Amino acid sequence: QSINPSAMYRARDCARFYSIGLSTWWNWTKTGKAKRGTKLGPKTTVWEGAYLLELKQKLITEAESC
């Protein structure tokens, strides 16, 4: 799945992009592994595609340094 840097993505899309469960994605935001998204409404939170790509690169770099 490719991410458009200029698009906004909901939690389900983020979880799918990282091949993790939705609850894991929310746990990442709660613990600071991923930043909290932008609230658009009471039940709608989104993240920028550019941020998701940056986070993926950061996670890859961390994994390679282990």
Side-chain angles (χ1 to χ4, degrees), residues 5-57:
S6 60
M8 303 295 274
Y9 294 91
R10 295 182 69 169
R12 189 172 308 275
D13 301 317
C14 297
R16 206 173 293 134
F17 178 62
Y18 292 104
S19 300
I20 59 175
L22 185 57
S23 61
T24 300
W25 176 254
W26 285 116
N27 190 14
W28 283 13
T29 64
K30 182 180 176 183
T31 61
K33 187 169 185 173
K35 73 176 184 178
R36 294 185 184 267
T38 303
K39 295 283 281 181
L40 298 181
K43 292 188 175 187
T44 307
T45 306
V46 294
W47 288 262
E48 297 174 7
Y51 169 72
L52 297 176
L53 293 170
E54 283 176 31
L55 180 60
K56 185 168 192 169
Q57 190 57 48

